[in-house]
Amino acid sequence: MSISSVNNYRDVLFQWQGQQLKNTGKGSSSQSGAITSLFGQASITSQIESMVELTKYAMDAMGVDKNGRVTFNQISKYSQKLQSEFNQGVKDGFANSGISDLSGLSFSLDKNGKINAIGANEKDRKKAQEWLDANSDIGKNMLKALNDADIEITEEVLFDINSNGKFSVRNAVEDNLQFALDENASLTENLRSELKKLGVDVSAPIDFMFNEDGNLVVKGDHNDAKTINSFLSQNTELADAVKKELKKNDVDLSSAGLRLGNEGNIQISINNSGLKDLQAALDKETELGKKIYSSLDDLGIDPNISFSIQLNADGTYNIISDHPDAAKVQKFFEDNPELIKKYRQIDTLAGVDDARKAMQLSPSEMRKRIQVESMTAWWAGSGNANSYFGAYNNGNLSLYSGLNLNI
């Protein structure tokens, strides 16, 4: 849609404006002359071209056919809808920008001093890993602390961190064995069920171990030890499954202990003296642990941050804020280009609303404005996005016309 001459549009009903250009009473040809004498041929053509182009953009954004019609009220409502979607998108994005469940993350330290994040939540794991990779000195410092304690890392060390910065070393072999038992939960269910049938009280935990002959037996004193051991000697499914996993992980039978609680799967423990030395060394590194925990906990964007968005003529944009999270906001929009696209739509539609206001001025008011300032200022936003400046505060976006804050 384009305009080569204002004469092409005399007597046209601007449905998107909701009003018709007023006739001077001298006929359609004199109407054109009156408009021309008021604005000047080039000026009014330029203004209507801008208006039509802006409206065409609005129609395209709204999915209206080029031969269709829209009113300014419809454009305004569509703009409000976009702004609401933008605000909600930013709010939701900020809410999800941090790690949702830090307690669900574990970590591993390899022999080169690299820390890897481990956890079921892929998004949390990815965010944590990005920070860990950007702060690789953390792993190097952990490795140095272990080396200073004469501990040599030959395989990955698994650990957790609590909010007080305390490291808790995890037994990788134990974790693997427990996973295998959890995968075969029927072994626990059958044992608990059969012991109940034999009159064994399973409301209190029962501990097991492998004896010198490699048989699974009750550990310590138990009133029903004889009954339980007799059952286990005749029903070796559980013992055989555990032996298989211990052999697969090259763990001696004497290192393994099992516990049957009143609910849940059997829990296995593996005695590893080397882990005790690791734990003792890391117990001295709580400051390092606090740094890791607090840094990961602060990865999100403060939901109460205030910032401004400046769109530049070259298609770039700037986030302007004196808040410490300003760089995070910049990256957030870089990772969510659909929100910047939506903001550009809001920005342009705001130009349509300004155009409406300008076109609804009375002839005398319009004449005065033209005499005082160039109409170019009214249409600067038509092809140059930096005429609008968006301020985001308290979860809402506001647009300010006429600000040009290129820096």
Side-chain angles (χ1 to χ4, degrees):
M1 180 185 294
S2 63
I3 298 177
S4 58
S5 170
V6 71
N7 292 325
N8 295 15
Y9 281 83
R10 69 187 183 196
D11 295 328
V12 69
L13 179 65
F14 290 96
Q15 292 295 334
W16 35 263
Q17 185 185 359
Q19 67 177 30
Q20 186 177 19
L21 291 178
K22 301 300 181 180
N23 193 305
T24 61
K26 299 180 180 179
S28 59
S29 59
S30 60
Q31 175 191 6
S32 175
I35 295 175
T36 301
S37 63
L38 180 61
F39 297 101
Q41 179 68 39
S43 175
I44 188 61
T45 299
S46 173
Q47 304 316 313
I48 296 182
E49 281 180 348
S50 297
M51 178 62 130
V52 172
E53 290 302 322
L54 283 169
T55 306
K56 179 178 179 293
Y57 181 94
M59 293 171 69
D60 288 343
M62 296 169 68
V64 177
D65 184 83
K66 64 181 180 179
N67 295 319
R69 295 176 177 179
V70 292
T71 65
F72 263 122
N73 185 49
Q74 290 171 325
I75 293 175
S76 178
K77 287 183 177 179
Y78 184 72
S79 179
Q80 291 171 7
K81 175 177 177 291
L82 289 179
Q83 192 158 327
S84 176
E85 291 174 353
F86 177 88
N87 289 334
Q88 192 60 51
V90 173
K91 289 177 185 177
D92 293 344
F94 285 2
N96 296 324
S97 62
I99 293 176
S100 61
D101 182 16
L102 191 50
S103 65
L105 284 175
S106 294
F107 308 89
S108 68
L109 174 70
D110 67 18
K111 60 182 181 181
N112 297 314
K114 176 178 171 55
I115 300 179
N116 292 305
I118 304 170
N121 188 313
E122 182 179 356
K123 290 183 178 179
D124 285 353
R125 187 169 64 247
K126 182 180 178 181
K127 291 171 186 173
Q129 192 62 56
E130 287 177 352
W131 184 86
L132 291 168
D133 290 344
N135 296 271
S136 57
D137 60 308
I138 296 289
K140 298 289 193 299
N141 290 336
M142 283 190 67
L143 186 62
K144 182 179 183 303
L146 295 177
N147 290 337
D148 290 345
D150 295 325
I151 298 174
E152 183 181 358
I153 301 298
T154 58
E155 57 185 21
E156 286 189 333
V157 176
L158 297 182
F159 61 92
D160 298 321
I161 310 174
N162 67 16
S163 58
N164 295 320
K166 177 177 173 55
F167 292 99
S168 296
V169 179
R170 294 174 53 181
N171 191 324
V173 174
E174 187 175 281
D175 286 350
N176 292 336
L177 291 171
Q178 187 63 57
F179 178 79
L181 284 175
D182 291 344
E183 286 287 287
N184 202 351
S186 60
L187 291 173
T188 300
E189 295 170 0
N190 292 339
L191 176 61
R192 186 179 286 114
S193 175
E194 293 301 320
L195 291 181
K196 283 182 178 179
K197 291 178 182 179
L198 293 172
V200 176
D201 181 12
V202 294
S203 62
I206 304 175
D207 293 320
F208 304 91
M209 60 177 284
F210 286 97
N211 63 17
E212 294 179 354
D213 298 324
N215 298 319
L216 188 64
V217 297
V218 174
K219 180 181 179 180
D221 296 330
H222 194 285
N223 294 334
D224 296 311
K226 186 176 181 179
T227 301
I228 298 172
N229 290 340
S230 175
F231 171 80
L232 291 174
S233 66
Q234 299 175 46
N235 299 271
T236 62
E237 294 85 356
L238 174 61
D240 292 342
V242 174
K243 286 181 180 180
K244 179 181 178 181
E245 293 301 325
L246 290 173
K247 183 177 181 180
K248 186 188 300 183
N249 289 274
D250 195 26
V251 177
D252 188 82
L253 291 179
S254 62
S255 300
L258 291 91
R259 167 169 284 202
L260 176 69
N262 63 349
E263 60 181 17
N265 291 328
I266 286 180
Q267 299 298 302
I268 190 167
S269 60
I270 305 297
N271 183 28
N272 188 330
S273 58
L275 293 183
K276 294 181 180 179
D277 294 335
L278 274 170
Q279 185 63 62
L282 291 179
D283 282 345
K284 302 175 181 178
E285 302 299 323
T286 54
E287 289 304 314
L288 194 58
K290 287 179 181 178
K291 180 177 181 180
I292 296 175
Y293 190 95
S294 61
S295 296
L296 293 177
D297 194 38
D298 291 339
L299 281 182
I301 301 172
D302 183 354
N304 298 316
I305 184 175
S306 296
F307 63 91
S308 297
I309 306 174
Q310 177 189 345
L311 296 180
N312 304 314
D314 60 0
T316 61
Y317 59 90
N318 301 105
I319 300 300
I320 303 172
S321 175
D322 58 2
H323 194 283
D325 286 349
K328 296 180 184 179
V329 176
Q330 181 79 32
K331 188 176 186 306
F332 169 77
F333 282 108
E334 290 172 359
D335 294 339
N336 295 274
E338 72 282 357
L339 285 174
I340 284 295
K341 179 181 178 181
K342 198 179 293 288
Y343 175 76
R344 292 185 190 280
Q345 290 177 309
I346 296 169
D347 173 77
T348 303
L349 293 178
V352 179
D353 190 55
D354 274 356
R356 172 188 65 81
K357 294 173 182 176
M359 295 295 287
Q360 286 184 342
L361 290 173
S362 67
S364 60
E365 290 173 325
M366 184 70 80
R367 183 184 296 108
K368 290 178 182 178
R369 182 166 293 281
I370 293 173
Q371 290 172 348
V372 172
E373 59 182 296
S374 169
M375 279 296 292
T376 304
W378 282 90
W379 306 102
S382 163
N384 184 348
N386 66 14
S387 66
Y388 281 85
F389 196 77
Y392 186 87
N393 187 30
N394 293 323
N396 292 295
L397 175 72
S398 300
L399 288 179
Y400 300 107
S401 176
L403 292 179
N404 188 342
L405 301 182
N406 282 321
I407 56 174

